[in-house]
Amino acid sequence: MRLTLHTDYTLRVLIHVAVADGKLVTIGDIAESFDISKQHLMKVVSDLSQKGYLDTVRGRGGGIRLLRPPRDINIGQVVRETEDRLDVIGCLGRSGYCRIERVCVLRGVLRDAIQAFLAVLDGYTLADLIKPKRALASLLLLDHAARAP
């Protein structure tokens, strides 16, 4: 199974903001930490804000922060909410209809695999992903920003 870049960036934004521990983080900070385009991140942040994961503060000195504690953000749910399609393969022939659809075992097997994948993600929260908080803060340049005058 392959997740989209949107989901990848969504998880990275959540990790970065969670590690900041309530301090406002800018899209520029996240873009710099992960070497991601600000335009992509603006879409991700907007999406996360609309879904109730992030609080956005506009204006000078503004930024983003989590709206709920990391322990209350389930990774499986985040993936379900950000992925448009969780299909592993398309089952369409040339005419747009699969000839073996009624007897296709493969489709059921892959559906079960997707459910197992999501079940594993359901076992994790954002708090689990940020357990090495000090190391993550260092890698994400958060400790550097905190020391700046």
Side-chain angles (χ1 to χ4, degrees), residues 26-78:
T26 68
I27 290 174
D29 295 335
I30 299 168
E32 183 180 342
S33 291
F34 290 116
D35 195 25
I36 299 172
S37 141
K38 284 184 186 179
Q39 263 104 346
H40 279 101
L41 288 176
M42 286 171 49
K43 292 175 189 172
V44 169
V45 167
S46 174
D47 189 41
L48 285 168
S49 175
Q50 289 174 359
K51 290 178 176 154
Y53 290 103
L54 294 179
D55 177 31
T56 58
V57 178
R58 295 197 180 276
R60 186 179 168 103
I64 56 175
R65 64 180 153 229
L66 289 178
L67 265 176
R68 39 188 148 147
R71 71 178 176 278
D72 294 340
I73 299 175
N74 181 274
I75 301 306
Q77 187 61 39
V78 170

Side-chain angles (χ1 to χ4, degrees), residues 7 12 17 23-24 53 62 67 70-71 80 84 94 99 107 109 115 127 135 145:
T7 300
R12 290 174 191 238
V17 174
K23 295 180 185 85
L24 289 173
Y53 290 103
L67 265 176
R71 71 178 176 278
R80 282 181 186 87
D84 289 334
R94 289 185 311 216
R99 291 178 153 185
R107 196 155 119 197
V109 169
Q115 293 309 313

Side-chain angles (χ1 to χ4, degrees), residues 15-16 18-21 23 127-147:
I15 288 168
H16 196 289
V19 169
D21 214 15
K23 295 180 185 85
D128 296 318
L129 300 185
I130 63 166
K131 280 187 179 170
K133 205 170 198 175
R134 188 170 288 167
L136 281 170
S138 179
L139 289 171
L140 296 176
L141 309 174
L142 291 172
D143 60 347
H144 174 71
R147 287 183 292 203

